[in-house]
Amino acid sequence: MTTHTNLLGGPDPTHLPENEEAYRLLGEESRSPAEVAAKYPTFSLAWAMLADDAFEAGRVVESYAYARTGYHRGLDALRRAGWKGHGPIPWSHRANRGFLRCLAALARAAGAIDEKDETERCWQFLKDSSEEAYGELKR
């Protein structure tokens, strides 16, 4: 494994650990995001999927709650992975996508319930964490 040094002096990218079993349940076994979140409550992707489904169905407050849960579970996981509160969280790393999607879902739902400060903070946090995720998820 090659370690890359950040020549600009900022923190190295944070890569969350993979949960292959959770991905398998969602994919091969076609389990619902709710089932996967219940079995693996730290798996942010399941929370992001629940938030997206609720938002698309017009259940904005429910979407906000799912997104906030996945966001906080993701922050806990990031800290355990060595993240110090700032620095890159690459979208290209599959395990990071659940957290980044929760962050975007939280921004979107906060906007829908007129939480302007939170909306702006979340979108900025997403952009600061991963320009690629921001471009992909800010619609």
Side-chain angles (χ1 to χ4, degrees), residues 86-99:
H86 67 285
I89 306 167
W91 174 256
S92 60
H93 181 66
R94 178 176 74 158
N96 290 350
R97 289 185 178 195
F99 169 76

Side-chain angles (χ1 to χ4, degrees), residues 16-130:
L16 292 172
E18 297 282 356
N19 183 333
E20 295 299 335
E21 177 64 10
Y23 287 117
R24 189 184 69 72
L25 290 175
L26 284 172
E28 292 172 24
E29 292 200 17
S30 299
R31 297 282 181 90
S32 72
E35 290 175 291
V36 176
K39 185 169 176 81
Y40 296 103
T42 62
F43 187 62
S44 290
L45 179 59
W47 295 107
M49 294 169 77
L50 288 166
D52 290 346
D53 291 348
F55 194 85
E56 289 171 15
R59 300 185 319 269
V60 177
V61 172
E62 189 178 324
S63 177
Y64 181 89
Y66 286 136
R68 181 158 291 288
T69 299
Y71 165 78
H72 281 288
R73 291 300 189 127
L75 286 177
D76 292 343
L78 285 165
R79 289 182 188 109
R80 282 192 304 275
W83 185 73
K84 303 292 186 214
H86 67 285
I89 306 167
W91 174 256
S92 60
H93 181 66
R94 178 176 74 158
N96 290 350
R97 289 185 178 195
F99 169 76
L100 295 166
R101 282 182 55 183
C102 281
L103 184 53
L106 184 58
R108 180 188 61 215
I113 62 172
D114 209 27
E115 284 281 340
K116 290 183 177 99
D117 289 343
E118 183 173 31
T119 302
E120 291 171 18
R121 253 190 333 271
C122 288
W123 284 126
Q124 188 61 53
F125 183 11
L126 182 63
K127 188 174 186 180
D128 292 345
S129 299
S130 172

